[in-house]
Amino acid sequence: MKSGAREATWFDKLPYFGGLALLVYMPFHVFLSQSLSTVTGGLNAWKIAKDALTFIITLFVICLVWKRHAATRTFNWLVGFGLAYAALHALLWALHPHIYRTSALVGLDFNLRVVAYAVIGYGAALLYPKFNLTFVLKLVVWVSAVVALLGVVQYFLPPDTLKHFGYSTARGVRPGFFIDNNPKYPRIFATLRDPNSYGAYLILPMTILLDELLRTREQRRRTMCAVLFVLEGIAMLLTFSRSAWIAAFVAFALTIWWRFRVPVAQFAKRWWPALAVAFVLLSVGIFASRHDSFVKSYIIHSTGKPQGAYDSDGFHWYYVKHGIEGIWHNPLGHGPGTAGLASIQNPHGGLLTENYYVQIGYEVGVEGLALFIAINVLLYMKIQKRHDRISFVLLATFWAYVVTNMLLHMWSNEPVALEWWFVAGVACVWQERVKT
């Protein structure tokens, strides 16, 4: 029978509304945990609670979907890949018992919760056939609009404002960020952990807004979408996150291409000589202005302040190179928590690969990376079958997040990962046959 034939009980609706609650809470988690823990204490408890709840919901969803006989073949494959991915992490930790325990636990959490978000979204939609995906997208947009507004306001506040809300390096979150660590060039991050994550978080809602602007003919709706798009665009610019800018360009370009493929192709075919000349002139202009103070500060992120042996880009390639070398010398993996953001928990030092895929390959080997890619392909192919505006938005942002994760550990950030993976999981439920 079809997934929409069964009437959902209030029990079946719990995962769906639990997922929505996470969508609302997660962008504000860092701010709330830092500020409230100054009153209640137990900062670590605040940090752990959201992830503990995530995995409890995940297990609940899997068990309930199977109990209700609501599972589809794709859902079972997703769960199977996820369990294999988790088992591989546990096996490699057992084979490397010397790994710093805290880093290993954090690494397990960071790596596995990505899949958990997708399972929650997928299972919640299967259990609650009358789910409203349009409402989910609206919720993503409006929550992000609040976060964007807070970010724009933050730009005009004193850089030490968040110190009054419990932010400090000793408590795990920096109270302020600056280009090249130069106080003259502040970067906003609102209620997220850092500017790069903040910029990445805005990509999905901005792409939803752009798609709506391209499609709707209702003037009132277009005006509202335009205002929100500009607000979030200003916030993204003020992050000065080059990875987010590039990724947003990819998402927007793909959205426009899929929406206007035929006229765009005709325009490019007719005017390609002019476009080629414009591209050359733009490239020459960028190269010629590489020593301009604005370009050096805001684009290259080099304000002239000494940074040691490498600048920002130099450190990036240095870490990527060491990560790839580690995979080459030990392709079976070094164990969870040995690379990425989790590894900095180790007092003896860690390895920031500055590339999420290299990080996964370093931690759980080429077999773990293959499993993670298989999970991505599984969701991508399922979403692709929708052939609607939602699939275009999710697929466009998928490639945008591939870009950010090639440059940073972006799937390790909870709001960014939850936003895309949960919505992707929900979007997978589309005219499916239930496996009975």
Side-chain angles (χ1 to χ4, degrees):
M1 65 177 186
K2 288 188 177 182
S3 58
R6 179 181 53 81
E7 187 68 27
T9 67
W10 67 269
F11 205 60
D12 297 321
K13 299 175 184 178
L14 285 177
Y16 177 72
F17 291 108
L20 296 185
L22 287 175
L23 275 178
V24 174
Y25 171 75
M26 209 65 82
F28 305 101
H29 163 71
V30 173
F31 177 80
L32 292 174
S33 61
Q34 293 292 323
S35 57
L36 294 178
S37 64
T38 60
V39 179
T40 64
L43 176 59
N44 288 332
W46 279 96
K47 292 179 178 179
I48 295 171
K50 68 182 188 312
D51 294 316
L53 179 62
T54 295
F55 286 105
I56 290 172
I57 295 176
T58 304
L59 292 175
F60 175 77
V61 166
I62 293 172
C63 294
L64 191 59
V65 167
W66 286 345
K67 179 177 175 60
R68 296 284 194 259
H69 302 289
T72 62
R73 183 177 290 105
T74 306
F75 179 81
N76 287 335
W77 273 107
L78 176 61
V79 173
F81 280 143
L83 292 175
Y85 194 50
L88 180 60
H89 279 72
L91 175 62
L92 285 170
W93 189 5
L95 294 175
H96 299 84
H98 61 279
I99 298 174
Y100 184 63
R101 181 180 177 84
T102 301
S103 292
L105 289 171
V106 174
L108 282 167
D109 177 29
F110 283 10
N111 295 349
L112 299 182
R113 68 187 178 196
V114 174
V115 185
Y117 295 146
V119 171
I120 292 174
Y122 203 148
L126 287 172
L127 291 165
Y128 184 26
K130 294 183 180 179
F131 71 91
N132 190 335
L133 184 52
T134 301
F135 176 78
V136 175
L137 298 181
K138 287 182 178 178
L139 185 65
V140 167
V141 168
W142 283 108
V143 172
S144 66
V146 173
V147 178
L149 180 60
L150 292 174
V152 174
V153 171
Q154 182 186 34
Y155 186 76
F156 299 98
L157 296 176
D160 62 346
T161 298
L162 287 175
K163 287 184 179 179
H164 304 294
F165 294 91
Y167 281 58
S168 70
T169 304
R171 285 167 56 84
V173 183
R174 290 170 57 180
F177 287 83
F178 310 93
I179 296 175
D180 205 26
N181 290 324
N182 191 328
K184 294 181 180 179
Y185 302 92
R187 305 174 66 186
I188 66 171
F189 56 103
T191 54
L192 274 76
R193 187 171 297 276
D194 61 85
N196 292 320
S197 299
Y198 182 34
Y201 170 77
L202 296 173
I203 292 172
L204 177 59
M206 288 188 68
T207 306
I208 295 172
L209 289 168
L210 175 62
D211 178 77
E212 187 66 23
L213 278 170
L214 295 175
R215 292 176 181 275
T216 186
R217 296 182 179 180
E218 184 182 343
Q219 187 58 43
R220 183 178 178 182
R221 183 183 293 271
R222 286 178 63 88
T223 301
M224 180 178 295
C225 289
V227 170
L228 294 178
F229 185 84
V230 170
L231 171 64
E232 299 197 8
I234 293 173
M236 179 177 285
L237 286 174
L238 294 178
T239 65
F240 299 106
S241 172
R242 296 169 297 176
S243 62
W245 294 349
I246 296 171
F249 174 80
V250 170
F252 300 163
L254 287 175
T255 300
I256 294 172
W257 168 252
W258 285 328
R259 180 70 177 88
F260 303 105
R261 183 178 303 180
V262 174
V264 168
Q266 292 175 344
F267 178 84
K269 184 177 180 179
R270 181 177 181 180
W271 296 100
W272 71 264
L275 294 174
V277 171
F279 176 78
V280 172
L281 292 176
L282 179 63
S283 301
V284 171
I286 293 174
F287 181 79
S289 62
R290 67 190 186 280
H291 297 303
D292 180 79
S293 59
F294 178 86
V295 173
K296 288 184 66 177
S297 300
Y298 294 106
I299 307 300
I300 303 177
H301 284 197
S302 176
T303 65
K305 187 176 181 179
Q307 291 291 305
Y310 301 99
D311 59 11
S312 176
D313 297 325
F315 273 114
H316 174 83
W317 294 115
Y318 173 83
Y319 289 134
V320 171
K321 177 183 176 182
H322 275 254
I324 294 175
E325 289 175 349
I327 297 173
W328 176 261
H329 293 300
N330 187 4
L332 296 181
H334 298 76
T338 55
L341 299 180
S343 68
I344 63 178
Q345 304 288 330
N346 192 334
H348 300 294
L351 176 63
L352 286 174
T353 61
E354 296 285 22
N355 181 308
Y356 187 80
Y357 305 104
V358 173
Q359 171 204 322
I360 296 300
Y362 187 93
E363 289 184 291
V364 289
V366 293
E367 68 281 9
L369 180 59
L371 267 175
F372 180 71
I373 292 175
I375 293 170
N376 281 261
V377 172
L378 181 70
L379 290 177
Y380 190 93
M381 293 179 65
K382 191 64 182 178
I383 296 169
Q384 196 175 37
K385 292 180 180 179
R386 292 183 62 105
H387 295 296
D388 63 357
R389 61 179 293 261
I390 294 172
S391 68
F392 294 152
V393 167
L394 286 172
L395 297 181
T397 51
F398 171 85
W399 290 112
Y401 286 125
V402 167
V403 171
T404 61
N405 281 289
M406 291 290 287
L407 301 171
L408 297 163
H409 309 272
M410 202 48 65
W411 285 146
S412 294
N413 185 268
E414 309 98 306
V416 180
L418 170 67
E419 188 181 55
W420 191 88
W421 287 79
F422 175 79
V423 175
V426 173
C428 282
V429 182
W430 178 252
Q431 296 180 343
E432 291 191 310
R433 294 285 180 177
V434 176
K435 185 179 179 181
T436 57

